[in-house]
Amino acid sequence: MSRNHTNGSQQQLDWLHRYSQSPEQQQALYRRTLGVVSVSQVFGGAGLAAGVTVGALLAQQMLGTDAYAGVPSALLTLGSAGAALLVGRLSQRYGRRTGLTIGFMLGGVGAIGIILAAVWSSVWLLFAALLIYGSGTATNLQARYAGTDLASSKQRATAVSMTMVFTTFGAVAGPNLVNVMGNVALSLGIPALAGPFILAAAAYLLAGLILFVMLRPDPLMIAEMLRIQGLQPSAHPAHNRTTPLENKKGIIAGATIMVVTQVVMVAIMTMTPVHMQHHGHGLGEVGLVIGFHIGAMYLPSLVTGLLVDKLGRAVMAVASGVTLLLAGLVAAFAPADSMILLIVALCLLGLGWNLGLISGTALIVDSTEASTRAKVQGSVDVLIALSGAAGGALSGMVVAGSSYPVLSIAGGILSLLLIPVVIWSRSSRQPV
């Protein structure tokens, strides 16, 4: 054991020496890291799609009421809050590889627990498993940071967006396999609504395995070594000379942008499947709408990243607020039997979330350095997850007490808070 530990430490020192001495090797590792994370995101996207698509419907079926249909989303995001903190701390101490691998593996275990809960009709097991399943969601989001560790300030948003683009493939395929996985589940004697979680379990476990095997050397550890040696690449040196107050301001602004977009997106998204079923839409139609929604959450990312890097974080954050407002209005006033308008509303909802997430993430990376980055990122993602939990839990109660249109309009209005946040973030600091 001692010899293995010594060999591992020597290998790490060799890696650090190799990459600290060669900018070309740094760029090669940057590209390789993006490739590995992107591949894992394909499977991570498929894993998270199951809970989004049928989580509320499974709870509705097991509980027999709509009032608590938002509880699965709340528990999933609450579990992702704890996992975000855990993954962030593990990543800061042991590297991205360890933190992300453990997070995805926990997500797979949670998906297996949900399947067992459905088979045994155990509501309490369902709730506990949803908490653990949330680890996959948190890890899927935190993986976006891994690609930024070796990126310059002009590459950061683009690096985030590239990993998110690959999430699209799995995230879109997942909802559209609802009926297929439902039939697979029935053939195994498992309730149909638990079928997508069979896919989720396999996808999360495979994502964790890919990162464990291939994410070497660890990009965060290399970035920290470069920072210590004063070699961290930066296209804007001014970003490295900001005062602690300006860094704190950037963190607060980035976190607030992502929190608001998460609340609005989760609240409207959670109740859309229930709203559709109340108006005669089948499970296949629900899967189609959610598939378009998740595609809009991730597919625009490559273009979004380029725009955030070129036009600035603030401009795209305002665009996020306006897009989410439009999404809320379309969802509120669209006829319930109109699949096209529901798809438009959910696509706008996904796009608004995408704009907010990438601009907010870039602000967080701009405002941190490798020695504290993963820890801060994990803490910020806790806030995002908790806000999503609140949005998911309250969404069902709002709809039960009023209506889906009221929920959608309220979400759209809330998104306008991004404008004063951006104005505040730009005061007494360099434009972002």
Side-chain angles (χ1 to χ4, degrees), residues 63-83:
L63 294 170
T65 177
D66 292 345
Y68 302 104
V71 170
S73 178
L75 290 172
L76 190 154
T77 48
L78 186 61
S80 71

Side-chain angles (χ1 to χ4, degrees), residues 319-346:
S320 170
V322 173
T323 304
L324 289 173
L325 174 62
L326 290 175
L329 294 176
V330 174
F333 294 107
D337 60 350
S338 174
M339 281 287 292
I340 293 177
L341 288 180
L342 283 172
I343 289 173
V344 169
L346 270 290

Side-chain angles (χ1 to χ4, degrees), residues 17-110:
H17 177 75
R18 173 186 176 186
Y19 290 104
S20 66
Q21 298 299 316
S22 172
E24 292 78 15
Q25 291 288 345
Q26 292 171 26
Q27 281 300 302
L29 179 58
Y30 165 66
R31 292 190 294 271
R32 182 176 184 276
T33 299
L34 281 179
V36 172
V37 173
S38 297
V39 171
S40 74
Q41 290 293 83
V42 174
F43 298 100
L48 70 87
V52 170
T53 308
V54 299
L57 299 177
L58 182 60
Q60 180 191 38
Q61 183 183 84
M62 293 179 69
L63 294 170
T65 177
D66 292 345
Y68 302 104
V71 170
S73 178
L75 290 172
L76 190 154
T77 48
L78 186 61
S80 71
L85 192 63
L86 174 66
V87 172
R89 295 299 191 272
L90 289 173
S91 297
Q92 191 67 69
R93 185 167 183 178
Y94 301 108
R96 298 285 188 193
R97 173 174 168 263
T98 298
L100 296 177
T101 296
I102 291 175
F104 274 131
M105 292 297 181
L106 286 174
V109 171

